Amino acid sequence: MEREKMGGPVEAPLEAILEEERVFPPPPQFREQANVRDPQVYQEAERDPEGFWERWARELTWFQPWEKVLEWDPPWAKWFVGGKTNLAYNCLDRHLMGPRRNKAAIIWEGEPGEVRILTYWELYRQVCRFANALKALGVRKGDRVTIYMPMVPEAAVAMLACARIGAVHSVVFAGFTADALRDRIQDAQAKVLVTAEGLWRRGNILPLKEYADQALEACPTVEKVVVFHRGCKEKEQVPMRRGRDIWWDEAIASAALQCPPEEMDAEDMLYILYTSGTTGKPKGVVHTTGGYMVGIYATTQWVFDIKEGDTYWCTADIGWVTGHSYVIYGPLLCGATTLMYEGAPDWPQRDRWWSIIERHGVTILYTAPTAIRTFMRWGEEWPGRHDLSSLRLLGTVGEPINPEAWVWYWRHIGGGRCPVVDTWWQTETGMIMITPLPGITHCKPGSATLPFPGVRAEVVDERGQPVPPGAGGYLVLTRPWPAMLRVLYGDPERYKVQYWSRFPGVYFTGDGARRDQDGYFWIVGRIDDVVNVSGHRIGTMEVESILVEHPAVAEAAVVGRSHEVKGQALWAFVTLRDDVVAGPSLEEELREHVSKRIGAFARPDRVIFTPELPKTRSGKIMRRLLRDIAEGRALGDVTTLQDPEVVRSLKEQYEHIEGG
């Protein structure tokens, strides 16, 4: 283990912290109260992994016990074979017998400022009513229901109602266009669509029902559409098709307040979630009931150190797997209070998140590095306006976090007192796979640290052989885990080829990584984000991290461009801090900065300055479009971008460079 320190002064210069504080041990006060205080949990899980997961399963309610923990015939897995359970029952009913009955299950805040609190009892009743409403609309066990909703409590109600009656939900991110929604409905062959007339975003209204109607022109399997009235428009202004469309409140008006949970086999399908594929066609990742339930329950308890009095906020949208596992199902399985926020982090001002944390007493915050880097760019004065002392744990998810952002988050949001759990996992894994355990793990900024107990990961070379410490390679998972995907919906062959063919019997994540001398994992990004420059394999994430360390840089995205001599060259797209002026001298300074930190072979050929990077509405940088720009290709689909004008401006800048 590298040199340990207890943190040093929180107000020390950021560069000094990055240089000196290589290892951050758990704060003593946190460690004393942590759910996991004994490092032996790793050895115990390794000695008997099936027994480890079985112990977690026994903490949940099963209508019929399992006969076998795991059947493994690579690449096909079955967990808790023969067991019968229901995820919605475990999220709701089992909490109603004690003091959690009247505990807040969901705290919701809308972008315009409304606040609603649903207790476990109230959420249970709403779920039962909507479950009965779905049954009245003809939905049966195994039917697919597409959910295209804002971040409102009714989205959680719809998911839980589907789980209660055995319907398979397919949540589609509300930022997707009509075409994307259509493709997902068609692939799932959904019977019912649940949507709203609109949603609020930065004071504007996105017309969800309008997009849904466009999509449904080519979706003959959809028989009914349930429309929740968000309040963006008067009901009379919303077009409703007679015989197909029904308002949410009308659908539940006569529905009973109790709905018996369907007894689901552990391997019955729970949900389909579509994720991008390298071919362009979305992949329908299938998760089943029992193993997924156990995996997210265990990881929520240990990674987030959930306590009875916590108010937990994961900022993800329910349209992504993080929203499924760690906004809705994981927290509710643990009997926690989960917070949902509908809107943008900068509406009406850049301190909206910090205001929410202060007003609701949030204790755990789980968000994305992209958001953290944005906050860094805006400056620490915004969080500095609010009392964030309620926070006791911070987390990151979605992409590797650069060390500077990690330390900024720890210092300015956590006040230097909160552990930071940097988590790695995927839509396909269903649950967190590599992560600190905050009461025992000594964290290194930028490293996701170690596999969760019971999970086995490795970094291998082209032949599938483990690489030595410090060497880069492919991240693989060498043992099945409970929440793993079971198949790609309707395409088992693609499932086998994409995830299990490169290294037979081993799950290929598609990510590159390295391990250090302490066994810690450092994720370097997707394999297709590794650029080969003159024979050197360079992870673009690594270059981005170096650029963001520079005091002038707020955010960076690096892509490869074809080069007739080198094979590929690096182009860096950089957003500067508000008080910095772009210019040729700064471009050369940044190129030299990378050269000094990594090597001359990693020096970007060009640094392109831009006020904003092209991002989806969920905040993800669209590197595919940056590659199109760098290569001079026609731009791909820009309909999911937060601001399509950003990429058009970059395209014009590229044409000026090439023309000059």
Side-chain angles (χ1 to χ4, degrees), residues 5-12 17 21 24 410 416:
K5 288 205 171 187
M6 290 305 297
V10 174
E11 295 306 316
I17 294 176
E21 305 298 339
F24 289 68
W410 167 81

Side-chain angles (χ1 to χ4, degrees), residues 621-647:
I621 297 171
M622 290 287 281
R623 289 172 175 81
R624 169 180 59 80
L625 293 175
L626 294 177
R627 282 191 285 269
D628 289 343
I629 291 169
E631 295 286 6
R633 295 190 293 252
L635 295 178
D637 179 27
V638 298
T639 57
T640 61
L641 287 180
Q642 194 176 85
D643 183 3
E645 193 57 40
V646 170
V647 77

